[in-house]
Amino acid sequence: MSGVLVVGYGPAAHRLVERLRHHGHHGPVTVLGAEPACHRPLLTSVLAGELPPEAAVLPPPPGDTRVLLGVRAVRVDRRARAVHTDDGGVHPYDTLVLATGARPDVPRLPGVPGEGVRTVRSPADVTGLGGGSGGGPGDGPVAVLGGGVLGVETAFALRRAGREVTLVHPGPHPMDRLLDARAGAVLTARLAECGVRLYSGRHAAEYTPGKLTLADGRMAEADTLLLCTGVVPDTRLARQAGLPVRRGVVVDDRLRTGDPRVHAIGDCAEYAGQVPGLLSCAWEQAETLARLLAGQRVRHRPARTVVRLRAPGTDLAVLGPPGAPGDESVTLSDPARGRYASLTLDGGRIAGGVLLGLPRAIAAVSQLHDRDQPVPAGRLALLLGSAAPEPGRVELPDDTVLCFCNNVTRGALAAAWHEGARDLPALAAATRATTGCGTCADDVRRLCETLPTAAR
């Protein structure tokens, strides 16, 4: 019996094989991976010097799952139902899962790729950049190219490590695809407060070791250039196999490609015209496919998206797609105190929004958005947090994610508490909650306060 063959070993593939066993799939499972699975949300904590590089490596999958590392799939023979690898191997399958992820979108820039140029995709990329390494790349100035979510998180992380950082972004302000001008201004001020030198609306022209030259002639010292310039879905294998590909590998609500024996999940997959590129979406797809392959009758129904910035001290959440239509808008702008909120409501429910510098409002609004519940009449009180339920209260359902870095739910934390992990360090050791960016620490502390009452 050939069983399930998974090509790729990123977070989506790792989650899939873990959930396959959880849901009772007992058939053979083989994974072809070029390198060990990495939990990328923790890489910025490695950059900040808060975690060792090995902390970002995911543990081995459960059971008898066979993982073949150091091999790369080069061809899919759909007629023979087999995958050929670069070491000459041929791996048969009954069900094939493409989890090939995405590859960095490397800009065409003199000096790139080259000495001192790195991406932020694996522990090897960030090793030695966390500061305090006694000379070399761990101490010199760094330029970050690209001011999207990853670029901003990277800049904040390097500043926490004490590094001199320049952030170069071609857009009008950081995260301009998600934030309007007022939110962008608040985020820009926050970066400046943290000591990040920001060049918005500028393009890089050339990189040479020690120096990044911009198109307007300005120069930034940079012993290291970190590319945070986006990713491209890796669809090469699917194209070669003749499967339907647009921006990603096209899948239906059973995550099937044009071949019913071939599925695709994660950053390489396109469902309903969307390639979200979010870890939470990859995990959702892995969960759905695991249930399907275990014999359950389910369909993929994407949850509402939330983008959380992993940067301690900078609370930022983007709910839903930018520019979501609605019949009502609510805005709070307080740049002097680093606070901004903008919600779009449709029929009294949250269609989209941005919240910055408002942690209590983020917790309450995120719950309303996730559950598609009506917003209370006191809109301003909700945004200011005075009407917000405390994060971590027992009213939260068990599947509510409190630690987004490690996908730790309230239920998992409660289970660990009942097994004896009765404080924050013990819960962190048992579940890995708070061991990423650390922004969930207050939520977990509040949960600790409520659980003894809930247990009686």
Side-chain angles (χ1 to χ4, degrees), residues 6-240:
V6 183
V7 176
Y9 196 34
H14 186 275
R15 184 73 170 175
L16 172 67
V17 296
E18 177 189 37
R19 301 305 289 172
L20 273 172
R21 297 313 190 201
H22 174 83
H23 290 298
H25 184 280
H26 300 296
V29 179
T30 301
V31 180
L32 306 178
E35 57 190 18
C38 162
H39 190 46
R40 293 195 184 98
L42 298 184
L43 293 180
T44 50
S45 295
V46 176
L47 273 175
E50 298 158 351
L51 290 176
E54 56 269 21
V57 178
L58 288 165
D64 58 353
T65 300
R66 189 168 65 129
V67 179
L68 303 179
L69 294 178
V71 297
R72 192 179 302 275
V74 296
R75 184 168 69 89
V76 175
D77 185 341
R78 290 165 52 201
R79 186 184 296 261
R81 296 209 298 270
V83 172
H84 295 251
T85 53
D86 58 357
D87 61 355
V90 180
H91 303 271
Y93 66 82
D94 292 319
T95 299
L96 175 63
V97 180
L98 299 178
T100 49
R103 61 184 187 275
D105 187 5
V106 178
R108 295 184 177 181
L109 183 68
V112 175
E115 180 185 352
V117 181
R118 305 191 192 190
T119 56
V120 185
R121 300 288 290 174
S122 72
D125 292 332
V126 299
T127 297
L129 292 177
S133 59
D139 293 318
V142 180
V144 178
L145 190 58
V149 175
L150 179 60
V152 171
E153 289 178 347
T154 296
F156 276 126
L158 288 166
R159 283 303 301 148
R160 296 201 304 276
R163 303 296 298 277
E164 180 182 337
V165 182
T166 300
L167 178 60
V168 178
H169 182 58
H173 54 77
M175 295 178 57
D176 56 290
R177 293 184 180 181
L178 297 174
L179 307 182
D180 62 24
R182 284 184 287 182
V186 174
L187 180 58
T188 295
R190 176 63 184 154
L191 285 162
E193 289 172 6
C194 290
V196 177
R197 179 181 299 161
L198 174 63
Y199 291 131
S200 293
R202 293 181 174 88
H203 294 264
E206 180 181 11
Y207 178 72
T208 55
K211 180 177 63 177
L212 178 65
T213 303
L214 306 186
D216 62 2
R218 300 190 187 203
M219 290 184 292
E221 293 184 3
D223 290 348
T224 303
L225 176 65
L226 288 180
L227 302 179
C228 298
T229 46
V231 295
V232 178
D234 193 344
T235 61
R236 292 172 291 188
L237 205 61
R239 286 185 185 278
Q240 292 168 0

Side-chain angles (χ1 to χ4, degrees), residues 416-442:
W417 186 91
H418 287 296
E419 292 172 3
R422 298 300 176 89
D423 55 24
L424 187 64
L427 285 169
T431 67
R432 299 186 74 184
T434 76
T435 62
C437 69
T439 55
C440 65
D442 287 342

